[in-house]
Amino acid sequence: MSEPLIRLVDVRKSFVLRERAGRVRRTKREVLAVNGISLDVPAGQICGYIGPNGAGKSTTVKILTGILTATSGTVRVAGLDPRTRRVELTRRIGVVFGQRTQLWWDLPLADSFELLRHVYRRDLDDHRSRLSTLVEVLDLGAFLATPVRQLSLGQRMRGDLAAALLHAPDVLYLDEPTIGLDVVSKARVGEFLRRVNAEQGVTVLLTTHDLADVERLCDRLVVIDRGRVISDGTVAQIKQTFGRTRTLVVDFDESRAPVVLEGITAVRIDGPRQWLSFDRTTSAAQLIAQVMQQASVRDVSIEEPHIDDVVRQVYERAADRSLTPEETDSG
Amino acid sequence: MRLWWEVARRGWRQRSAYRAAVVAGLFTNASFGALRAYVLLAVLAQRDTVGGFDETAAVGFVFFTQALLAPVMLFGWTDIADRVRSGDIATDLYRPVDLQHYSMATFAGRSAFELVFRSLPIVAVGVVAFRIPLPPVDLLPAVVLTVTLAVLVGFALSFVLNLLAFWLLDSDGIATIATSVGFVLAGLAIPLPFLPSPFAGIAQALPWASMLQRPVEVMLGLHGGLELAGVLAVQALWAVVLLLFGQWLLSRATARVVVHGG
Amino acid sequence: MVDELRLWRVLVAARVRSQWQYRTSFLLYACGSFLGALVDFVALSAIFTKVPQLGGWSFGEVAFLYGVSGLGFALASFAVASVGNLSRRVKDGTFDSLLLRPLGTITQLSAEGFALRRIGRVAQAGCVLVLSLMLLELSWTPGRVAVTTVAIACGTLVYAAVFLATAAISFWVIDGAEVGNAFTYGGNYLSNQPLDIYARWLRSFATFVIPLAFAAYLPVAWVLDKPVPAGIPADLMWAGPVVAVAALLAAQAVWQAGLHTYRSTGT
């Protein structure tokens, strides 16, 4: 398949905000929520789409799903333009909002699935086999008869995932799917997504603030800020570019003065333990050897840059770059 | 005292934030006023007076009741009942401020806003479109008093009805009946004196009448001297009775919450 | 279109099933709404203890008008009043979920908010209608029966159009849909009394702007052989069905326009 499944070409979206200026008057202000985003997502990819609050993530997803129409630019999902062929497109996509459910609140979970069968006009056998697989994999059996409003957050999330995949969509959009979930549930959801992606080739676009999820799941990470893409690559690549600092954690036999060696950029000390920060280009093995020559070492370990720190650096770098003279002057 | 003022201001703000809703409500009230006016005019085309109301009084009645409807909050004030259903009421009851006083302050703020931005415009429409009679200047103190008491009765009654949500599992059905009945008893469907004999008298004695029917009669100048004092006294009486009942209900509710843990 | 109706039925059936589980609550509420509407009629009839007619119509005639008008309104309300939930759903953001399904937004809103209890109003209007038939001494020719039935159908369509068009205001002005009450409930109230009692501008409005006259007054006047006030040609009544359908289509167009605006401006 040469054509990417999701294609955005120079998409812009502006909103007109009416604000109160004083007691009676109202001013208009144009806000560019999405400011020229171009993105190609090939079929079968799990793509993370992250950015600080207000970056334009939700707006992009709304444009992709047809909820909002772009002000300019080209949008194609599975070859369809969400602006004009929204209803047709809904059959090819599945959406999970972390904070809102797509399920019917007052009805038992099983009823929601049955209604969805009708809504998506699914063949009965197709539907049944897919449903039983999903129920098994997501372990929904125990609460199929429970009304959705009585489900715990984790249970509801799994229900929403099943609902989103019931009609065999080509694309799955996830907006904060693991928010509020405990560690075990998060891992399960992650496993499930990888499996669905691997077995059925479902393309996934994941919007989240939980970077551990991103690291665990995503082949690719797109970072946006202020309506623009500021970084696009694999997780490894981003860490390579922005996560330059690794840390050597050394437990000495006894407290001693901070280690001074070429390559060490910063030192933190707590008793006999020292955290030695060093740039990626320096060999860790060499550093360990040198440290052990200096003093008696009880134990050693290496900390990789935490994804949170890496991404924070991405944001900061972008913020620095975007501070032009005009922006610093305006109030 | 300062707290009371701040809470009242919040009540005012609650309404002022929704401009569209205020305008929409105004439009609806004025429209119903016009429609009801036509019906009564059709009745009074055949007789000079009914129940002491002539054409001018009837049309005035219709618009004044529509105008007073919002401040008195005959319908739609379900804040407390909602909070009872959602469980949020527990935090309210644990606060060191008496819930009835707090609610009264909020209510007062809202009513004040509605009086200025809804009631006055509706009366203006009535004057322009139907030439309704305005109360003479020397009647104004009585008008102020009767309207204040009406709002007070309105609050006290709403508070009691809302609190009943604690004990009535499904207050929705009861609330609907209460709303429809209240609608007629307040004089909104037709002026109470238009009702056949025993009913008119009974209705006039009930709290709903003290919220709309009676105060509007005062504003139309239909009561003077001793009668006027009587109307105001009945309003005050209902206010006191319902407020006390509300306090009692509140204490039972608080006890219930403490025992059940919210 | 047929498919949408089928899905509407499926969604409504699910709602009804879940509401039926709380039978007592439903019955209480239905009774409440029945009684409420009944009380309204009783207040109207109280008028007739003081005067013999209203705008030249007797009690039985007014009751018949009330029944026909009320039934059209109650049926429309029963079917689509929930589109009014648009306002709340736009405010709390849950409207977007409706755009993600291969089903019309009107269909979804009216089905998901379906309230079985609204049948109380239908019952009330039916009762008033039956009562009026007992009061009226009228020979029921097939023509009269047909016109009455078509009138009720037209009423349902016209009121449905009003519910739709006024609810759609939420797409442009949040909380603006409250104005709709003046046209839905106000329209019903207006229609319950003979148009004769209203000022000329209001009569024209109710005929040529919001075609309420076609919903009850004109057909009923024909059935009862009542004269029609100046300014409204009586023959206009025969255009009723066309007008009603046109109104519904117009309302749907307004909704689509609103949806288009929603999608380009967000909330």
Side-chain angles (χ1 to χ4, degrees):
Chain A
M1 166 112 56
S2 52
E3 173 89 15
L5 194 62
I6 299 178
R7 156 159 281 181
L8 293 162
V9 180
D10 199 27
V11 171
R12 271 162 230 277
K13 179 65 187 168
S14 64
F15 292 111
V16 174
L17 281 185
R18 277 196 229 113
E19 290 168 341
R20 269 226 172 110
R23 286 191 152 230
V24 187
R25 243 173 318 128
R26 284 199 168 155
T27 56
K28 284 189 184 172
R29 188 162 68 97
E30 191 174 348
V31 168
L32 266 176
V34 173
N35 194 3
I37 289 190
S38 296
L39 191 59
D40 281 348
V41 180
Q45 186 177 74
I46 302 186
C47 180
Y49 195 64
I50 66 174
N53 287 330
K57 307 189 293 295
S58 303
T59 310
T60 315
V61 174
K62 284 184 181 178
I63 292 176
L64 286 170
T65 52
I67 293 173
L68 285 179
T69 51
T71 311
S72 70
T74 311
V75 185
R76 293 283 181 276
V77 178
L80 301 168
D81 181 353
R83 177 203 291 265
T84 51
R85 297 168 76 179
R86 175 182 61 87
V87 179
E88 205 184 323
L89 184 59
T90 59
R91 296 179 197 285
R92 315 277 291 271
I93 66 174
V95 184
V96 177
F97 291 120
Q99 285 155 327
R100 288 196 288 275
T101 183
Q102 295 269 66
L103 303 166
W104 280 265
W105 202 238
D106 294 319
L107 301 177
L109 188 57
D111 285 12
S112 275
F113 294 145
E114 181 61 17
L115 282 178
L116 286 170
R117 173 175 81 84
H118 287 282
V119 169
Y120 286 95
R121 298 161 181 82
R122 298 277 298 158
D123 169 72
L124 188 59
D125 292 323
D126 257 350
H127 168 86
R128 285 229 177 104
S129 73
R130 266 193 92 82
L131 182 59
S132 65
T133 315
L134 287 166
V135 166
E136 190 197 313
V137 171
L138 286 165
D139 202 15
L140 305 174
F143 47 90
L144 274 176
T146 319
V148 171
R149 69 184 137 80
Q150 288 173 6
L151 296 177
S152 75
L153 187 58
Q155 293 170 329
R156 203 210 77 205
M157 181 56 56
R158 278 143 57 198
D160 267 310
L161 276 170
L165 290 165
L166 258 181
H167 54 284
D170 299 322
V171 186
L172 184 61
Y173 296 99
L174 301 168
D175 188 18
E176 301 282 8
T178 58
I179 200 168
L181 291 184
D182 61 65
V183 178
V184 172
S185 303
K186 282 193 191 190
R188 278 168 93 171
V189 168
E191 267 167 47
F192 172 74
L193 289 172
R194 279 228 87 97
R195 183 169 159 172
V196 156
N197 170 257
E199 289 177 4
Q200 293 163 33
V202 178
T203 309
V204 179
L205 189 71
L206 172 64
T207 311
T208 181
H209 280 301
D210 186 332
L211 298 173
D213 273 349
V214 164
E215 204 171 4
R216 195 191 352 240
L217 294 170
C218 300
D219 309 320
R220 171 188 182 188
L221 186 57
V222 175
V223 187
I224 73 166
D225 189 16
R226 292 182 226 203
R228 284 206 168 94
V229 174
I230 57 177
S231 169
D232 185 355
T234 63
V235 177
Q237 280 170 347
I238 287 191
K239 279 190 166 179
Q240 183 78 350
T241 319
F242 294 93
R244 300 205 62 85
T245 311
R246 304 162 78 192
T247 307
L248 187 65
V249 186
V250 185
D251 284 327
F252 291 104
D253 274 338
E254 51 187 22
S255 301
R256 52 154 306 191
V259 172
V260 177
L261 282 173
E262 197 182 308
I264 295 182
T265 54
V267 181
R268 178 161 75 92
I269 301 185
D270 185 10
R273 177 174 280 199
Q274 296 192 12
W275 287 261
L276 310 170
S277 304
F278 62 98
D279 186 85
R280 203 168 259 288
T281 49
T282 311
S283 154
Q286 213 172 24
L287 206 56
I288 292 173
Q290 287 173 312
V291 168
M292 290 178 77
Q293 269 175 2
Q294 285 201 7
S296 176
V297 168
R298 187 175 307 155
D299 202 1
V300 144
S301 69
I302 299 180
E303 279 180 3
E304 295 299 322
H306 197 273
I307 185 79
D308 285 345
D309 296 325
V310 171
V311 172
R312 191 161 32 82
Q313 283 191 54
V314 176
Y315 296 163
E316 282 168 5
R317 175 89 74 88
D320 284 342
R321 278 213 201 103
S322 71
L323 270 179
T324 62
E326 291 94 44
E327 274 174 284
T328 42
D329 280 347
S330 64
Chain B
M1 198 56 211
R2 179 64 200 272
L3 176 69
W4 207 94
W5 180 250
E6 286 302 315
V7 175
R9 269 181 72 196
R10 267 236 272 104
W12 173 287
R13 286 259 165 75
Q14 264 180 18
R15 293 307 291 166
S16 70
Y18 293 99
R19 279 181 178 197
V22 175
V23 172
L26 211 159
F27 180 77
T28 309
N29 284 134
S31 307
F32 271 100
L35 291 176
R36 293 193 190 281
Y38 283 122
V39 174
L40 291 184
L41 284 174
V43 173
L44 288 163
Q46 304 165 57
R47 279 171 63 154
D48 282 338
T49 66
V50 175
F53 281 77
D54 64 4
E55 270 192 11
T56 338
V59 170
F61 177 85
V62 156
F63 273 91
F64 285 129
T65 45
Q66 287 292 323
L68 210 49
L69 195 50
V72 167
M73 272 266 93
L74 186 59
F75 328 108
W77 195 67
T78 53
D79 292 6
I80 294 187
D82 290 340
R83 290 179 76 78
V84 170
R85 268 189 287 262
S86 69
D88 290 341
I89 194 74
T91 43
D92 293 335
L93 293 175
Y94 282 125
R95 285 214 198 105
V97 182
D98 183 292
L99 184 62
Q100 193 182 47
H101 297 159
Y102 187 87
S103 309
M104 199 189 313
T106 316
F107 197 90
R110 286 180 73 166
S111 294
F113 181 85
E114 301 283 15
L115 276 168
V116 175
F117 290 100
R118 262 229 252 194
S119 309
L120 293 182
I122 294 172
V123 169
V125 169
V127 169
V128 167
F130 287 85
R131 280 181 289 233
I132 62 175
L134 290 176
V137 180
D138 55 343
L139 197 55
L140 279 182
V143 169
V144 168
L145 200 51
T146 192
V147 167
T148 313
L149 285 171
V151 171
L152 201 55
V153 174
F155 164 73
L157 185 60
S158 293
F159 188 74
V160 164
L161 290 177
N162 266 258
L163 275 189
L164 288 179
F166 263 109
W167 292 273
L168 299 172
L169 263 175
D170 184 17
S171 38
D172 266 357
I174 317 275
T176 320
I177 304 182
T179 307
S180 326
V181 169
F183 187 82
V184 173
L185 289 178
L188 273 173
I190 53 169
L192 292 181
F194 278 50
L195 293 176
S197 278
F199 299 114
I202 299 172
Q204 292 279 42
L206 294 174
W208 289 274
S210 282
M211 283 162 67
L212 284 181
Q213 172 77 34
R214 298 306 244 166
V216 170
E217 284 176 1
V218 169
M219 286 159 73
L220 290 170
L222 293 176
H223 300 291
L226 213 54
E227 261 188 25
L228 176 58
V231 168
L232 294 171
V234 170
Q235 278 187 298
L237 188 62
W238 273 118
V240 167
V241 165
L242 288 171
L243 283 173
L244 288 177
F245 186 46
Q247 272 292 319
W248 182 77
L249 278 181
L250 186 59
S251 66
R252 311 269 357 105
T254 318
R256 188 186 156 97
V257 165
V258 166
V259 165
H260 289 222
Chain C
M1 174 68 187
V2 177
D3 211 28
E4 291 260 336
L5 270 172
R6 181 183 71 87
L7 285 170
W8 184 85
R9 273 204 326 269
V10 169
L11 288 173
V12 166
R15 274 283 292 182
V16 169
R17 246 180 294 126
S18 108
Q19 282 175 358
W20 191 244
Q21 288 194 332
Y22 300 93
R23 251 183 300 261
T24 36
S25 163
F26 151 67
L27 283 171
L28 249 179
Y29 215 134
C31 280
S33 106
F34 176 86
L35 281 173
L38 194 64
V39 157
D40 182 57
F41 177 70
V42 165
L44 175 68
S45 37
I47 286 183
F48 287 93
T49 61
K50 308 282 185 185
V51 291
Q53 42 94 343
L54 202 62
W57 289 48
S58 71
F59 180 49
E61 291 168 339
V62 171
F64 184 63
L65 176 64
Y66 187 104
V68 169
S69 158
L71 202 50
F73 179 77
L75 287 171
S77 163
F78 190 57
V80 299
S82 318
V83 292
N85 286 335
L86 176 66
S87 166
R88 184 177 51 86
R89 296 198 94 169
V90 164
K91 270 201 273 197
D92 67 16
T94 54
F95 180 69
D96 291 347
S97 317
L98 301 183
L99 292 172
L100 296 171
R101 295 206 192 111
L103 197 54
T105 45
I106 297 176
T107 312
Q108 292 186 68
L109 278 173
S110 64
E112 298 199 354
F114 188 83
L116 193 59
R117 61 176 187 252
R118 290 202 195 110
I119 205 154
R121 253 199 130 92
V122 178
Q124 181 258 5
C127 285
V128 172
L129 193 58
V130 167
L131 172 73
S132 73
L133 294 178
M134 296 192 299
L135 289 171
L136 290 171
E137 288 154 5
L138 207 58
S139 59
W140 283 97
T141 66
R144 286 190 166 139
V145 173
V147 167
T148 308
T149 318
V150 170
I152 295 174
C154 286
T156 312
L157 291 179
V158 169
Y159 283 116
V162 177
F163 271 113
L164 262 184
T166 51
I169 295 178
S170 294
F171 283 128
W172 289 279
V173 182
I174 288 285
D175 287 331
E178 286 195 34
V179 109
N181 281 338
F183 296 107
T184 51
Y185 290 91
N188 179 40
Y189 182 78
L190 183 152
S191 200
N192 286 347
Q193 275 89 216
L195 287 185
D196 303 65
I197 68 174
Y198 303 117
R200 197 190 173 112
W201 69 269
L202 195 49
R203 291 203 297 261
S204 305
F205 184 82
T207 313
F208 301 109
V209 179
I210 303 187
L212 294 166
F214 296 91
Y217 182 75
L218 286 174
V220 168
W222 183 88
V223 167
L224 297 174
D225 261 327
K226 305 287 297 182
V228 162
I232 309 177
D235 287 338
L236 213 51
M237 166 200 122
W238 300 106
V242 171
V243 169
V245 171
L248 193 55
L249 291 174
Q252 207 178 19
V254 169
W255 183 277
Q256 290 304 321
L259 191 55
H260 182 87
T261 305
Y262 179 81
R263 289 174 72 202
S264 46
T265 58
T267 15

